[in-house]
Every structure is written in structure tokens, then in C-alpha cells.
Amino acid sequence: MLTIGHGEVRTDSDHKLVVVMVGLPARGKSYIVKKLKRYLSWLGFQTKIFNVGDRRRLAGSADEYETAGEDLQRVGRKDSGEAPCSGCSSPGADAQTAECAQCETRHSSAFFDPDNKKARQIREQVALEVFEDLLRWLQAGGQIAIHDATNSTIERRHALISRLKCETDVNLMFVESICTDRDIINRNIKLKTHSPDYVGIDPEVAEADFRARLRNYERAYRSVGAAEEKLDVQYCKIIDVGKKVIAYNIQGFLESQVVFYLMNMNLEPRVIYITRHGESEDNAAGRIGGDASLSANGSKYARALARFIDRRRLEFAVEVEEYNRLVAQTICSTASSTPGTCSEAEGAVSPDSAADALRLEQSLLRRRVQPGFEVWTSMLKRTMETAEFFDAQRYRIKNIRSLNEIYAGKCEGMTYQEIAQKFPDEFEARQLDKFYYRYPGIGGESYADVVMRLQQVIVELERI
């Protein structure tokens, strides 16, 4: 059962959830978790992302560590006596190379070689340190923590599973992002050349190094599957940006919210305008709720809004054409250059020239964005009247009851002054906690109630 508490959404069991991301680099994991975190936070869950890459960049190079038994101990930088590199002010590296042994924010592809034992130990150690930070945050009152890392080996994942066995009321769920679409991967790799790992590095050098890093990861990568199923661990796999979603052993309420969103997530570019309705007669009188028509000023606003969106619709059509042109240019350039790397675990193959041409044509058609505008309103007169100046031949207008304004129960149609006089206790309670305060009377709502009824609308926005 779901209950609304003061300051957060709670479930009756008070269980907490750790979402552990899995997948090769350039598969959109960090982008996915940012969208997921925003959605869960909007629902009222205390959610936080713990990024292992950020901590890893502060861990220094393998040269700064010495073995202490089975553990590694950081001993600090070794002074090479060389001049600092121009890219990071650290000695021992040229700004045009990805190798910078003394820089805390830069690790070359060699650092991710699975045969590099010391570097591998550092990476495992950093991942577990971040996991400990995550658990401490949950113990301090957090509800959903996301471990944002590759976690691409069975050994790493088993270490996290074993650590979590010591915690009570904390569930674990793996979310793996798999991508076999080379165009998406190549675009993501281009973005990676602008990451903190490659500050001050020539883009071509950075891309070559990142592709080498990716090949190193692929050598050790094992997808979530039988090893986790033997332990009855919950997991969800997102394949090719949501074209296919696999869910295994999903049991908890929090987990179901995660899977629900991932199944409806959309990563295509869109433009969404959010506006209030024009001024209503009740607005002018200072009354809340109700179902009044627009005032004269409200009608004036409605006309101006329709003119503004008409202009933006034409401008957006131009922007869409430019976007489609850039997509086609990117796909054509990557098709004629180095093929995107995909692991055997993700089922990638190298196409011949005929198949490559077919793939290119299909990719262009699939990614071409078609401009289209919809206008959504609530079922209240003031919102439908605000949309009445939109041309129904150019815009699809939808009236959605879930978008109705918060219902004030017994206080509908009253001014705040009248509420303070007639219901002084209710007025005071609302001042103390506006988000969770629920208006008295049949059907009276809180803003938290509104958030819950808007969940389907948010999902519909994602699916556009």
C-alpha cells in the first residue's frame, strides 16, 4: 500500500531500493539514470545518483598506489620533475595525448585493461567505496539510490550483492542498458570525447582512446543473466533505447515504479511548452477552484498564445529539418569510417556493403523526426477556452481530466480570506505544509494527490 507522509512518499514496508546500473560505456546509462531520478523525485521518493566515474577521476593513477596485502593503499603522486602538461597542469604528459599519469581527472584506455591488475583493483575499490557512500545515504533517510557505473563483470556484481546481504530492508535491482545500434553508439562516443576524462585532448585522439577503452571493457563484459537468476536477483534490461525491455523477478513497489518508467521512456528530442490558462473570472475575483469562464484579459491572452505557438510551429519545422540533416550527415560519416564497436554479448556483427546500405536507409527513416503539435488542456472551461483559438486542422487538441486544477473540496469558489474566516484551522494547516495539506470535504485534494493522478500524463508525455 502507498501512503503519503510528511516530506516524502512512503510504502507500508518502508523498504529501500538500490538500483545498480550495468552496461558498456556509451550505452546511455548516465542519461537514463538522470531521467529516472527526475521521475522518481517528482513522485516524491528521496532519490540520489552515485556516479562511480566521478569518484574514479579523483582516485589518481595506478602509479600512486602500492600493494598492502590484498588491498591497495594510495601513497600519493611521484614527482617526475617534468614540467606540467598544458591541459591539466600535471607533470608528465603532453596535452595532445590521452595518457596523463599524474592527472587526477584523466585515465587512458590502459587503465581499463582487464589485464592491468593494479588498475582493476583501483576500479573495484572505488566502486565499492561509492557503494558504501550510497548505503550510508540510505541509512540516513534516503529511499532510492542509483549506483551509476558499468558494473559489467559478474565478479563486481556479486561483490555488490554480497555487501547488500548485511543490510536489512534494502532491495537490489540491476538495470542493464544494451545497445546494438551502431549509429547510437557512434553518436554517444562523439559525446564522450567532451567528458572530463578528455579535457584539453584533441577530439580525434580522445575518440581513438575511448574506442580502445571500450574494447577493453568488451573483453571482460558479461551481461546480466543466469548468474544473477541463480541468486533470485531482480533485474531489468533495456535494449536499443527501449525497443525491447526484459524484466526478471520484479517484486517490490519501488522496483515496479522503476520498470514502469523504463518501459515508457523516450529519448527522442521534443519541445514542450507549459502555460497557465488565461485569467478566469474567478481569478479576477480572487476565488480558488471553480469552473468559471475566461475574463476579457483571459481571452486576450488566449489569442496571443495561439499566435505565439503558430510562430514557434513554423520555427520548429525549420529546426527539425536541420536536425534531420545533421542526423543523416552523422550516420553517413560514421558508415564510411570506423564501424562502431559492439560486443558479442550484444549480438553485433559487421555488415557487408549491401547490408550496410540497407541499414543506413532504415536508420535514416527511423530517426527522421516529424514535426507535430498537440495542445493538452484540462476539462475545465477556463483551459478549454484558452485553447479555442488554435486551428484544429493544424493542432490535435486533447482535453484530459487528470490535468484539472487541484480540487479544494469545501473551499471551492472561496477566497483565501473567506477560508481563513470560515475554516481558520484548515487555513493554518495549509500554511504549515502546502504540498501535503489536503482540502476538507469530499474529493478534496493535496498537491501530493495531484502528483499521483498526473503520473499517467507524465508517461503519456514520454511516449510522444
Coordinates of all heavy atoms in Angstrom, one line a residue, residues 338-405:
T338 N 35.3 4.3 -39.2 CA 35.4 3.1 -38.4 C 34.1 2.6 -37.9 O 33.4 3.4 -37.3 CB 36.3 3.5 -37.2 OG1 37.5 4.0 -37.7 CG2 36.6 2.2 -36.3
P339 N 33.8 1.3 -38.0 CA 32.5 0.9 -37.5 C 32.4 1.0 -36.0 O 33.4 0.9 -35.3 CB 32.5 -0.6 -38.0 CG 33.5 -0.7 -39.0 CD 34.6 0.3 -38.7
G340 N 31.2 1.3 -35.5 CA 31.0 1.3 -34.1 C 31.3 0.0 -33.5 O 31.0 -1.1 -34.0
T341 N 31.8 0.0 -32.3 CA 32.2 -1.3 -31.6 C 31.0 -1.7 -30.8 O 30.3 -1.0 -30.1 CB 33.4 -1.0 -30.7 OG1 33.1 0.1 -29.9 CG2 34.6 -0.9 -31.4
C342 N 30.7 -3.0 -31.0 CA 29.6 -3.7 -30.3 C 30.1 -5.0 -29.8 O 30.8 -5.7 -30.6 CB 28.3 -3.8 -31.1 SG 27.5 -2.3 -31.5
S343 N 29.8 -5.4 -28.6 CA 30.3 -6.7 -28.1 C 29.5 -7.9 -28.6 O 28.4 -7.8 -29.1 CB 30.2 -6.7 -26.6 OG 28.9 -6.7 -26.2
E344 N 30.1 -9.0 -28.6 CA 29.4 -10.3 -28.9 C 28.2 -10.5 -28.0 O 27.2 -11.0 -28.5 CB 30.4 -11.5 -28.8 CG 31.5 -11.4 -29.9 CD 32.4 -12.7 -29.8 OE1 32.0 -13.6 -29.0 OE2 33.3 -12.7 -30.6
A345 N 28.4 -10.1 -26.7 CA 27.3 -10.3 -25.8 C 26.1 -9.5 -26.3 O 24.9 -9.8 -25.9 CB 27.7 -9.8 -24.4
E346 N 26.3 -8.4 -27.0 CA 25.1 -7.6 -27.5 C 24.7 -8.0 -28.9 O 23.9 -7.4 -29.6 CB 25.5 -6.1 -27.5 CG 25.7 -5.6 -26.0 CD 26.0 -4.1 -26.0 OE1 26.3 -3.6 -27.1 OE2 25.8 -3.5 -25.0
G347 N 25.3 -9.1 -29.4 CA 24.9 -9.6 -30.7 C 25.3 -8.8 -31.9 O 24.6 -8.9 -32.9
A348 N 26.4 -8.1 -31.9 CA 26.7 -7.2 -33.0 C 27.5 -8.0 -34.1 O 28.2 -8.9 -33.8 CB 27.5 -6.0 -32.6
V349 N 27.3 -7.7 -35.4 CA 28.0 -8.3 -36.4 C 28.5 -7.2 -37.4 O 27.9 -6.1 -37.4 CB 27.2 -9.3 -37.2 CG1 26.8 -10.5 -36.4 CG2 25.9 -8.6 -37.8
S350 N 29.5 -7.4 -38.2 CA 30.0 -6.4 -39.1 C 29.3 -6.7 -40.5 O 29.4 -7.7 -41.1 CB 31.5 -6.6 -39.3 OG 32.1 -6.3 -38.1
P351 N 28.4 -5.7 -40.9 CA 27.7 -6.0 -42.2 C 28.5 -5.8 -43.4 O 29.5 -5.1 -43.4 CB 26.6 -4.9 -42.1 CG 27.3 -3.8 -41.3 CD 28.2 -4.4 -40.3
D352 N 28.1 -6.4 -44.5 CA 28.8 -6.2 -45.8 C 28.2 -4.9 -46.4 O 27.3 -4.3 -45.8 CB 28.6 -7.4 -46.7 CG 27.1 -7.7 -46.9 OD1 26.3 -6.8 -46.8 OD2 26.8 -8.9 -47.2
S353 N 28.7 -4.5 -47.5 CA 28.4 -3.2 -48.1 C 26.9 -3.1 -48.4 O 26.3 -2.1 -48.2 CB 29.2 -2.9 -49.3 OG 29.0 -4.0 -50.3
A354 N 26.3 -4.2 -48.9 CA 24.9 -4.1 -49.3 C 24.0 -4.0 -48.0 O 23.1 -3.2 -48.0 CB 24.5 -5.4 -50.1
A355 N 24.3 -4.8 -47.0 CA 23.6 -4.7 -45.8 C 23.8 -3.4 -45.1 O 22.9 -2.8 -44.5 CB 24.0 -5.9 -44.9
D356 N 25.0 -2.9 -45.2 CA 25.3 -1.6 -44.6 C 24.5 -0.5 -45.3 O 24.0 0.4 -44.6 CB 26.8 -1.3 -44.8 CG 27.2 -0.1 -43.8 OD1 27.1 -0.3 -42.6 OD2 27.7 0.9 -44.4
A357 N 24.3 -0.5 -46.6 CA 23.5 0.5 -47.3 C 22.0 0.4 -46.8 O 21.4 1.4 -46.6 CB 23.6 0.3 -48.8
L358 N 21.5 -0.9 -46.7 CA 20.2 -1.0 -46.2 C 20.0 -0.5 -44.8 O 19.0 0.1 -44.5 CB 19.8 -2.5 -46.3 CG 18.4 -2.9 -45.8 CD1 17.3 -2.2 -46.6 CD2 18.2 -4.4 -45.8
R359 N 21.0 -0.8 -43.9 CA 21.0 -0.4 -42.6 C 20.9 1.2 -42.5 O 20.2 1.8 -41.7 CB 22.2 -0.9 -41.8 CG 22.3 -0.4 -40.4 CD 23.6 -0.7 -39.8 NE 24.7 0.0 -40.5 CZ 25.0 1.3 -40.4 NH1 24.3 2.0 -39.5 NH2 25.9 1.8 -41.1
L360 N 21.7 1.8 -43.4 CA 21.8 3.3 -43.4 C 20.4 3.8 -43.8 O 19.9 4.8 -43.1 CB 22.8 3.7 -44.4 CG 23.0 5.2 -44.7 CD1 23.3 5.9 -43.4 CD2 24.0 5.5 -45.7
E361 N 19.8 3.3 -44.8 CA 18.5 3.8 -45.2 C 17.5 3.6 -44.1 O 16.7 4.5 -43.8 CB 18.0 3.0 -46.5 CG 16.7 3.5 -47.0 CD 16.3 2.7 -48.2 OE1 17.1 1.9 -48.7 OE2 15.2 3.0 -48.8
Q362 N 17.5 2.4 -43.5 CA 16.5 2.2 -42.4 C 16.7 3.1 -41.2 O 15.8 3.6 -40.6 CB 16.6 0.7 -41.9 CG 16.1 -0.3 -43.0 CD 16.4 -1.7 -42.6 OE1 17.2 -2.0 -41.7 NE2 15.6 -2.6 -43.1
S363 N 18.0 3.4 -40.9 CA 18.3 4.2 -39.8 C 17.9 5.7 -40.0 O 17.4 6.3 -39.2 CB 19.8 4.2 -39.5 OG 20.2 4.9 -38.3
L364 N 18.1 6.1 -41.3 CA 17.6 7.5 -41.6 C 16.1 7.6 -41.5 O 15.6 8.6 -40.9 CB 18.0 7.8 -43.1 CG 19.5 8.1 -43.3 CD1 19.8 8.2 -44.8 CD2 19.9 9.5 -42.6
L365 N 15.4 6.6 -42.0 CA 13.9 6.7 -41.8 C 13.5 6.6 -40.4 O 12.6 7.3 -40.0 CB 13.3 5.5 -42.7 CG 13.4 5.6 -44.2 CD1 13.0 4.3 -44.8 CD2 12.7 6.8 -44.7
R366 N 14.2 5.8 -39.6 CA 13.8 5.6 -38.2 C 14.0 6.8 -37.4 O 13.3 7.1 -36.5 CB 14.6 4.4 -37.6 CG 14.2 4.0 -36.2 CD 14.8 2.7 -35.8 NE 16.2 2.8 -35.7 CZ 17.1 2.2 -36.5 NH1 16.6 1.5 -37.5 NH2 18.4 2.3 -36.4
R367 N 15.1 7.5 -37.7 CA 15.5 8.7 -36.9 C 14.9 10.0 -37.3 O 15.1 11.0 -36.7 CB 17.0 8.8 -36.8 CG 17.6 7.5 -36.2 CD 19.1 7.8 -35.8 NE 19.7 6.5 -35.5 CZ 19.4 5.8 -34.4 NH1 18.6 6.3 -33.5 NH2 20.0 4.7 -34.2
R368 N 14.3 10.0 -38.5 CA 13.8 11.2 -39.0 C 12.6 11.7 -38.1 O 11.6 11.0 -38.0 CB 13.3 11.1 -40.4 CG 12.9 12.4 -41.1 CD 12.5 12.2 -42.5 NE 12.1 13.4 -43.1 CZ 12.9 14.4 -43.6 NH1 14.2 14.2 -43.5 NH2 12.4 15.5 -44.1
V369 N 12.7 12.9 -37.6 CA 11.7 13.4 -36.7 C 10.7 14.2 -37.5 O 11.0 14.9 -38.4 CB 12.3 14.4 -35.7 CG1 11.2 15.1 -34.8 CG2 13.3 13.7 -34.8
Q370 N 9.4 13.9 -37.3 CA 8.3 14.5 -38.0 C 7.7 15.6 -37.0 O 7.3 15.3 -36.0 CB 7.2 13.5 -38.4 CG 7.7 12.4 -39.3 CD 8.1 13.0 -40.7 OE1 7.6 14.0 -41.1 NE2 9.0 12.3 -41.4
P371 N 7.7 16.9 -37.5 CA 7.1 17.9 -36.6 C 5.6 17.7 -36.5 O 4.9 17.5 -37.4 CB 7.5 19.2 -37.4 CG 7.6 18.8 -38.8 CD 8.1 17.4 -38.8
G372 N 5.1 17.9 -35.2 CA 3.7 17.8 -35.0 C 3.4 18.5 -33.6 O 4.2 18.4 -32.7
F373 N 2.3 19.1 -33.5 CA 1.9 19.8 -32.3 C 0.6 19.3 -31.8 O -0.3 19.1 -32.5 CB 1.8 21.3 -32.6 CG 3.1 22.1 -32.4 CD1 4.1 21.9 -33.4 CD2 3.3 22.9 -31.4 CE1 5.4 22.6 -33.2 CE2 4.5 23.6 -31.2 CZ 5.5 23.4 -32.1
E374 N 0.6 19.1 -30.5 CA -0.6 18.8 -29.8 C -0.9 19.8 -28.7 O 0.1 20.4 -28.1 CB -0.6 17.4 -29.1 CG -0.5 16.2 -30.1 CD -0.6 14.9 -29.4 OE1 -0.7 14.9 -28.2 OE2 -0.6 13.9 -30.1
V375 N -2.1 20.1 -28.4 CA -2.5 21.0 -27.3 C -3.3 20.2 -26.3 O -4.3 19.7 -26.6 CB -3.3 22.2 -27.8 CG1 -3.7 23.1 -26.7 CG2 -2.5 23.0 -28.9
W376 N -2.8 20.1 -25.1 CA -3.5 19.4 -24.0 C -4.1 20.4 -23.0 O -3.4 21.4 -22.6 CB -2.5 18.5 -23.2 CG -2.0 17.4 -24.0 CD1 -2.2 17.1 -25.4 CD2 -1.1 16.3 -23.6 NE1 -1.5 16.0 -25.8 CE2 -0.9 15.5 -24.7 CE3 -0.6 16.0 -22.3 CZ2 -0.1 14.4 -24.5 CZ3 0.2 14.9 -22.2 CH2 0.4 14.1 -23.3
T377 N -5.3 20.2 -22.6 CA -5.9 21.1 -21.6 C -6.6 20.2 -20.6 O -6.8 19.0 -20.8 CB -7.0 22.0 -22.2 OG1 -8.2 21.3 -22.5 CG2 -6.5 22.6 -23.5
S378 N -7.1 20.8 -19.5 CA -7.9 20.0 -18.6 C -9.3 20.0 -19.1 O -9.6 20.5 -20.2 CB -7.8 20.7 -17.2 OG -8.6 21.9 -17.2
M379 N -10.3 19.6 -18.2 CA -11.7 19.5 -18.6 C -12.4 20.8 -18.1 O -13.6 20.9 -18.2 CB -12.3 18.3 -18.1 CG -11.8 17.0 -18.6 SD -12.2 16.7 -20.4 CE -14.0 16.4 -20.2
L380 N -11.7 21.7 -17.6 CA -12.3 22.9 -17.0 C -12.5 24.0 -18.1 O -11.6 24.1 -19.0 CB -11.5 23.5 -15.9 CG -11.3 22.5 -14.7 CD1 -10.3 23.1 -13.6 CD2 -12.6 22.2 -14.0
K381 N -13.5 24.8 -18.0 CA -13.9 25.7 -19.1 C -12.7 26.7 -19.4 O -12.5 27.0 -20.5 CB -15.2 26.5 -18.7 CG -16.4 25.7 -18.9 CD -17.7 26.5 -18.8 CE -17.8 27.1 -17.4 NZ -19.1 27.8 -17.2
R382 N -12.1 27.2 -18.3 CA -11.1 28.2 -18.5 C -9.9 27.7 -19.3 O -9.2 28.5 -20.0 CB -10.6 28.7 -17.1 CG -10.1 27.7 -16.2 CD -9.8 28.3 -14.8 NE -9.4 27.3 -13.8 CZ -10.3 26.7 -13.0 NH1 -11.6 26.9 -13.1 NH2 -9.8 25.9 -12.1
T383 N -9.6 26.4 -19.3 CA -8.5 25.9 -20.1 C -8.9 25.6 -21.5 O -8.2 25.8 -22.4 CB -7.9 24.6 -19.4 OG1 -8.9 23.6 -19.4 CG2 -7.5 24.9 -18.0
M384 N -10.1 25.0 -21.6 CA -10.6 24.7 -23.0 C -10.8 26.0 -23.8 O -10.6 26.1 -25.0 CB -11.9 23.9 -22.9 CG -11.6 22.5 -22.4 SD -13.1 21.4 -22.5 CE -14.1 22.1 -21.2
E385 N -11.3 27.1 -23.1 CA -11.5 28.4 -23.8 C -10.1 29.0 -24.1 O -10.0 29.7 -25.1 CB -12.3 29.3 -22.9 CG -13.7 28.9 -22.7 CD -14.5 29.8 -21.7 OE1 -13.9 30.8 -21.2 OE2 -15.7 29.5 -21.5
T386 N -9.1 28.7 -23.3 CA -7.7 29.2 -23.7 C -7.2 28.6 -25.0 O -6.5 29.2 -25.7 CB -6.8 28.9 -22.5 OG1 -7.2 29.6 -21.3 CG2 -5.4 29.4 -22.9
A387 N -7.7 27.4 -25.3 CA -7.2 26.7 -26.5 C -8.1 26.9 -27.7 O -7.8 26.3 -28.8 CB -7.1 25.2 -26.2
E388 N -9.2 27.6 -27.6 CA -10.2 27.7 -28.6 C -9.7 28.4 -29.9 O -10.3 28.3 -31.0 CB -11.5 28.3 -28.1 CG -11.5 29.7 -27.8 CD -12.8 30.3 -27.3 OE1 -13.8 29.5 -27.2 OE2 -12.9 31.5 -27.1
F389 N -8.6 29.2 -29.8 CA -8.1 30.0 -30.9 C -7.1 29.2 -31.7 O -6.5 29.7 -32.7 CB -7.6 31.3 -30.4 CG -8.6 32.2 -29.8 CD1 -8.7 32.3 -28.5 CD2 -9.5 32.9 -30.6 CE1 -9.7 33.1 -27.9 CE2 -10.5 33.7 -30.1 CZ -10.6 33.8 -28.7
F390 N -6.8 28.0 -31.3 CA -5.8 27.1 -32.1 C -6.6 26.5 -33.2 O -7.8 26.0 -33.1 CB -5.2 26.0 -31.2 CG -4.2 26.5 -30.2 CD1 -4.5 26.9 -28.9 CD2 -2.9 26.6 -30.6 CE1 -3.6 27.4 -28.1 CE2 -1.9 27.0 -29.7 CZ -2.3 27.4 -28.5
D391 N -6.0 26.5 -34.4 CA -6.6 25.9 -35.6 C -6.6 24.3 -35.4 O -5.6 23.7 -35.4 CB -5.8 26.3 -36.8 CG -6.4 25.8 -38.1 OD1 -7.4 25.0 -38.0 OD2 -6.0 26.3 -39.2
A392 N -7.8 23.8 -35.4 CA -8.0 22.4 -35.2 C -7.4 21.5 -36.3 O -7.2 20.3 -36.2 CB -9.4 22.0 -34.9
Q393 N -7.3 22.2 -37.5 CA -6.7 21.5 -38.6 C -5.2 21.3 -38.5 O -4.6 20.4 -39.1 CB -7.0 22.2 -39.9 CG -8.5 22.4 -40.2 CD -9.2 21.1 -40.4 OE1 -8.7 20.2 -41.1 NE2 -10.4 20.9 -39.8
R394 N -4.6 22.2 -37.7 CA -3.1 22.1 -37.5 C -2.7 21.5 -36.2 O -1.5 21.1 -36.0 CB -2.5 23.5 -37.7 CG -2.7 24.1 -39.0 CD -2.2 25.6 -39.1 NE -2.3 26.2 -40.4 CZ -1.9 27.4 -40.6 NH1 -1.5 28.2 -39.7 NH2 -2.0 27.9 -41.9
Y395 N -3.6 21.5 -35.2 CA -3.2 21.1 -33.9 C -4.3 20.0 -33.4 O -5.5 20.2 -33.7 CB -3.3 22.2 -32.9 CG -2.3 23.3 -33.2 CD1 -2.8 24.4 -33.9 CD2 -1.0 23.3 -32.7 CE1 -1.9 25.5 -34.2 CE2 -0.1 24.4 -33.0 CZ -0.6 25.4 -33.8 OH 0.3 26.5 -34.1
R396 N -3.7 19.0 -32.8 CA -4.6 18.0 -32.2 C -4.9 18.4 -30.8 O -3.9 18.5 -29.9 CB -3.9 16.6 -32.2 CG -4.8 15.5 -31.6 CD -4.1 14.2 -31.6 NE -4.9 13.2 -31.0 CZ -4.4 12.0 -30.6 NH1 -3.1 11.7 -30.8 NH2 -5.2 11.1 -30.1
I397 N -6.1 18.8 -30.4 CA -6.4 19.3 -29.1 C -7.1 18.2 -28.3 O -8.0 17.5 -28.7 CB -7.4 20.5 -29.2 CG1 -6.7 21.6 -30.1 CG2 -7.8 21.0 -27.9 CD1 -7.6 22.8 -30.4
K398 N -6.5 17.9 -27.1 CA -7.0 16.9 -26.2 C -7.4 17.5 -24.9 O -6.6 18.3 -24.3 CB -5.9 15.8 -26.0 CG -5.4 15.1 -27.3 CD -4.2 14.3 -27.1 CE -4.4 13.1 -26.2 NZ -3.2 12.2 -26.1
N399 N -8.5 17.1 -24.4 CA -9.0 17.5 -23.1 C -8.9 16.4 -22.1 O -9.5 15.3 -22.3 CB -10.4 18.0 -23.1 CG -10.7 19.0 -24.2 OD1 -11.5 18.8 -25.1 ND2 -10.0 20.1 -24.2
I400 N -8.0 16.5 -21.0 CA -7.7 15.5 -20.1 C -8.1 15.8 -18.7 O -7.6 16.8 -18.2 CB -6.1 15.2 -20.2 CG1 -5.7 14.9 -21.7 CG2 -5.8 14.0 -19.3 CD1 -4.2 14.9 -21.9
R401 N -8.9 15.0 -18.1 CA -9.4 15.3 -16.8 C -8.3 15.3 -15.7 O -8.4 16.0 -14.8 CB -10.5 14.2 -16.4 CG -11.2 14.6 -15.1 CD -12.4 13.6 -14.9 NE -13.4 13.7 -16.0 CZ -14.3 14.6 -16.1 NH1 -14.4 15.6 -15.2 NH2 -15.2 14.5 -17.1
S402 N -7.3 14.5 -15.9 CA -6.2 14.4 -15.0 C -5.4 15.7 -14.8 O -4.7 15.9 -13.9 CB -5.2 13.3 -15.4 OG -5.8 12.0 -15.3
L403 N -5.6 16.6 -15.8 CA -4.9 17.9 -15.8 C -5.7 19.0 -15.0 O -5.3 20.1 -14.9 CB -4.7 18.4 -17.2 CG -3.6 17.7 -18.0 CD1 -3.5 18.2 -19.4 CD2 -2.2 17.9 -17.3
N404 N -6.9 18.6 -14.5 CA -7.7 19.5 -13.8 C -6.9 20.1 -12.6 O -6.1 19.4 -12.0 CB -9.0 18.9 -13.2 CG -10.0 18.7 -14.3 OD1 -9.8 19.0 -15.5 ND2 -11.2 18.3 -13.9
E405 N -7.2 21.4 -12.3 CA -6.6 22.0 -11.1 C -6.9 21.3 -9.9 O -7.9 20.5 -9.8 CB -7.1 23.5 -11.1 CG -6.4 24.3 -10.0 CD -6.9 25.8 -10.1 OE1 -7.4 26.2 -11.1 OE2 -6.6 26.5 -9.1

